[in-house]
Each structure stands twice: as C-alpha cells, then as structure tokens.
Amino acid sequence: MTKDRIVLLDSLRGLGVLGILLCNAPDFAVPPGIAESVKSWPHGTGPDTLGVWFVTQWLFQRKFVTLFAMLFGVSIFLVGGERTDKERGSTLRKRLSWMVLFGVLHGFAIWYGDVLLSYALAGFAVMFARSWSPKRLLWTGVGVWVAFSLLMTAGAAAMMLAPSESAQAGAAASAQIAKAGLAEIQYSGTFLQSLVQNAKDRLVLLPNEPIIFLMTASLMMIGLACFKLGLFTGEARTRTYVILLVIGLLALAGVGLVFVQFMAQDLSRPMSMVAMTVQMATAPLSTLAYVSLMVFAARSKSFWSVIPRALAPVGQMAFTNYLTQSLIMTALFYGGRGLNLHGEVDRPGLAAITIGIWIVQILWSRWWMDRFAMGPLEWLWRRLYRGPTPLRRPRPAVTA
C-alpha cells in the first residue's frame, strides 16, 4: 500500500459505500423475492412510493456498486503492487483470503446480500492482471462487460417478442408472493428464525456467483485501467472528464426515459426487463460521470469542495461503514434484534432512514479518523493479514 493516501480515491469510495445503502435498503426491509419488485411491493404504488423507486433506479441502482467494484480493482494494485513483487503479492493473497471469510460470515450470519465474497473471489483472478497495461485492462474489462450486456439484451428481446402468457405469469407472481409471505414470518420472528431465513436466502443466491464473478472482475479491470490512466486520481485532462461527464449524463437520460416508459406501460414485465438491461449496460458510463463530478468538486475552490472532503473519511473506513450499515439495518428490520420493522416501512421511510445513516456515518467517520489511523474493522483486517498494526494516530512531537 502506498504510504500517502490518495484523497480522491477515499472520497469516491465514501460516495460508493453511502450510495449502495439506498439500493440495498429494500432488501433489508422485505423478503428478497419482492424487494426489487414494483407491482408486488407490499405498500402499493402510490406517488411517493413510486417516486422514491424511480429516483433509486434512475440515479443510484448499479452505479455505486459499479463504482465500488472499480475501486476494489484499484486496491488490488495498491496492495499487491506489480506481479514481480512477491512479498506484496503474498500480502494481497492473505488480504483476499481473510476477505473470503468476512464475506461468508457477513452473508450467512448478518445479511444475505453480501458483496465481500464476490469481490474477494474476483480479486483472486484480477490479481494476475494487475501488471497489465491500461489498454489491455480496458479492452478486456469492456469486452467482458459488453458480452454480458449483449446476452442480457438478447434475453430482454426474447421476452418482448414472446407471446403473452398472462395466466402463467400471474401464477408465477402469486407463487412468489406466497413464498415471500412465508419468509416474512421468519424474518419477523425470533432471532434464530431470522438468522436461519437469512442463511437460506444466502444459499439461494450462491449459484449466481459465477455471473457476479465475471461482472465484478470486468469492472475491477476497467477501474484499474482508469486508475493507471489517472482518471481516479484527478490527473487526467479536464477535457477527458468533460467528455466522460457528457457521455454519462446521456446514458443517465436514456435510463430515465426507459424507466418512464416502463411506468407508462403499466409496469409490464417485458418492459421491466428492458429497463433493467439498459440500466445494467450503461452503469459504467454513468459511474464515470459521477467520478468526473467528484473530480470537479475536488478541484473547486467553492462550496462544492466540501463534498469530497466530507466523504473522504467515510471512504477511509469503507469496510467498517459497509458492515455497520448491515448491522444497523438488520437491527431495525430483523426479528429478535431490535425494532422488528420487517415489512412495515414503505420506500419513502427507507429513504429517510438511509439519509439518517448517511449523516451519522459522515459525522462519526470524521470523528474517528481525526483520532485513529484507520477504521476499527480495517485495523482488524490489516492485523490479520499483516500482523501487529498501530491503530491510534501518533501524537505530534512536542517542541520546547
């Protein structure tokens, strides 16, 4: 790891970990089968509910998990160095191995939607590409991402062209709702019931890991290429950031139009597939637009420079903040752990809770990083893969 932290990377990491929470909030609050659904959402489709859903899908969904994956690709290089550096390579392997354990524990014992395991597994592959040139990393990462997007597009087209089978679709939706109802009882039950149900839902998601692996590895390579090109350090030319911003905003406009059309067509399932496909395929473009905005804010001498400064401490302890979000949300929503609000909170309420957690994490991250060299879980993680590591910041020398 380089001795001098790159503040812009910390700011982007902070943006990523906070943005992810709004997307994850429904998955804590209702069973996984209906968390992403609009029609099956238990609180209906009122204007406020639909408005929060639209903003989340338009401006947040896929953008921040994409950013986080890209930045994890950067950390592969910052920790492991070049492939010729055997000592740092060994440190990187230990770091990823412990992350596998953290991911398994998080996914089964806290929240089924864990991404740490996926990142660690993809990291083991990307570590072999960390010395590649930016061009090779970019072409490989983009190639995999485009291939995956084309497969999704083909699936969406097949759904659009397939004959309507409303009876079968209705039966499938009813079965999904019934299954979600059974899960709801377990999540709202005792601590042991919610723990077991969470583990069951985690097991259901594990077969998706090969797909997630390819998606995540491709984004890590794209992110590492962007880092080597200076995009994530603010060293690229202003013209480059302007181009990325324009392209990303156009992509965002396209996503917004598709989701508006989805709502105009009475939330039809084929149009839902199209909307999700466009959202997924264009996510890296929108993400790089957000990166460009952060660079401009960091360069600014006005009020906007406050944003990256406020987010940097959040990013320095992103691992702690990510796991803390899971602990807070499960304490709020899972049975036997706290308030037991599972199934009780609509999307506007989830947005309010999310904003509250954002404020708390921004404030407590600043307080903590003013006193300590790293977050508490970052310290534990580093101690496991590096050995004894000081946590407190060294006191400034007192001169006579």
Side-chain angles (χ1 to χ4, degrees):
M1 179 73 75
T2 54
K3 291 182 179 180
D4 298 325
R5 295 195 69 93
I6 302 172
V7 177
L8 181 60
L9 284 180
D10 288 329
S11 301
L12 291 170
R13 200 174 287 112
L15 177 67
V17 76
L18 294 182
I20 284 172
L21 180 58
L22 183 63
C23 306
N24 290 343
D27 297 284
F28 289 103
V30 299
I34 59 175
E36 299 301 323
S37 173
V38 184
K39 282 191 171 182
S40 300
W41 182 253
H43 302 284
T45 55
D48 293 345
T49 301
L50 206 56
V52 172
W53 173 84
F54 174 76
V55 170
T56 302
Q57 297 299 323
W58 178 30
L59 300 178
F60 286 80
Q61 194 68 262
R62 303 307 314 171
K63 284 75 171 175
F64 294 101
V65 71
T66 295
L67 176 60
F68 220 59
M70 287 181 172
L71 294 172
F72 195 84
V74 176
S75 72
I76 296 293
F77 181 74
L78 292 179
V79 174
E82 300 290 348
R83 284 196 62 189
T84 53
D85 193 328
K86 303 300 181 184
E87 182 178 352
R88 291 176 67 181
S90 175
T91 299
L92 176 60
R93 287 190 295 273
K94 292 176 184 176
R95 185 176 192 260
L96 293 173
S97 297
W98 281 108
M99 191 172 185
V100 168
L101 179 60
F102 280 121
V104 171
L105 291 174
H106 178 232
F108 282 96
I110 302 177
W111 180 55
Y112 66 85
D114 168 77
V115 297
L116 300 177
L117 177 62
S118 303
Y119 283 15
L121 295 177
F124 275 115
V126 175
M127 66 181 291
F128 293 104
R130 66 186 190 274
S131 291
W132 287 3
S133 68
K135 183 178 180 180
R136 186 180 180 186
L137 284 165
L138 196 59
W139 278 108
T140 305
V142 170
V144 174
W145 188 263
V146 168
F148 178 79
S149 299
L150 289 175
L151 286 175
M152 284 195 64
T153 302
M159 286 199 67
M160 291 287 288
L161 297 174
S164 175
E165 298 180 3
S166 56
Q168 291 185 7
S174 298
Q176 184 185 57
I177 293 172
K179 184 178 178 182
L182 294 174
E184 178 64 52
I185 295 173
Q186 298 301 309
Y187 277 117
S188 301
T190 65
F191 177 87
L192 182 59
Q193 286 177 309
S194 63
L195 182 69
V196 171
Q197 185 62 46
N198 181 83
K200 288 180 179 178
D201 287 331
R202 181 59 184 156
L203 281 173
V204 170
L205 291 178
L206 284 181
N208 296 328
E209 282 299 325
I211 297 175
I212 298 173
F213 172 87
L214 289 175
M215 293 169 55
T216 305
S218 66
L219 291 172
M220 287 182 182
M221 285 190 280
I222 294 171
L224 182 51
C226 290
F227 172 76
K228 290 187 174 185
L229 292 170
L231 291 174
F232 285 166
T233 57
E235 298 172 297
R237 293 184 301 172
T238 299
R239 180 186 176 189
T240 301
Y241 292 115
V242 170
I243 292 173
L244 290 174
L245 180 59
V246 171
I247 293 174
L249 291 179
L250 289 173
L252 274 177
V255 171
L257 288 173
V258 172
F259 274 96
V260 168
Q261 186 66 20
F262 168 52
M263 291 187 291
Q265 292 189 13
D266 195 28
L267 309 174
S268 68
R269 179 170 172 76
M271 196 62 199
S272 169
M273 187 67 180
V274 172
M276 298 302 176
T277 300
V278 173
Q279 178 192 74
M280 176 76 73
T282 61
L285 300 176
S286 303
T287 298
L288 291 176
Y290 290 173
V291 170
S292 299
L293 287 173
M294 186 67 78
V295 170
F296 290 142
R299 290 178 177 180
S300 172
K301 304 297 182 182
S302 64
F303 163 80
W304 298 109
S305 63
V306 172
I307 296 174
R309 291 202 305 270
L311 291 176
V314 181
Q316 283 183 265
M317 46 193 297
F319 182 47
T320 295
N321 282 322
Y322 173 69
L323 291 178
T324 301
Q325 288 173 358
S326 295
L327 292 171
I328 294 172
M329 295 297 276
T330 52
L332 290 174
F333 292 102
Y334 282 18
R337 309 189 188 196
L339 297 182
N340 195 7
L341 296 175
H342 206 266
E344 301 296 327
V345 182
D346 198 359
R347 294 189 192 275
L350 292 175
I353 290 171
T354 297
I355 293 170
I357 294 175
W358 286 351
I359 294 170
V360 169
Q361 291 198 317
I362 289 171
L363 294 175
W364 103 282
S365 296
R366 169 63 66 184
W367 182 91
W368 184 276
M369 294 310 303
D370 282 344
R371 292 159 177 79
F372 301 96
M374 63 194 76
L377 292 181
E378 282 78 4
W379 172 81
L380 173 61
W381 187 17
R382 185 172 297 192
R383 199 179 194 288
L384 290 170
Y385 73 80
R386 282 186 186 270
T389 303
L391 177 59
R392 284 194 172 273
R393 291 188 180 278
R395 293 182 179 180
V398 178
T399 56

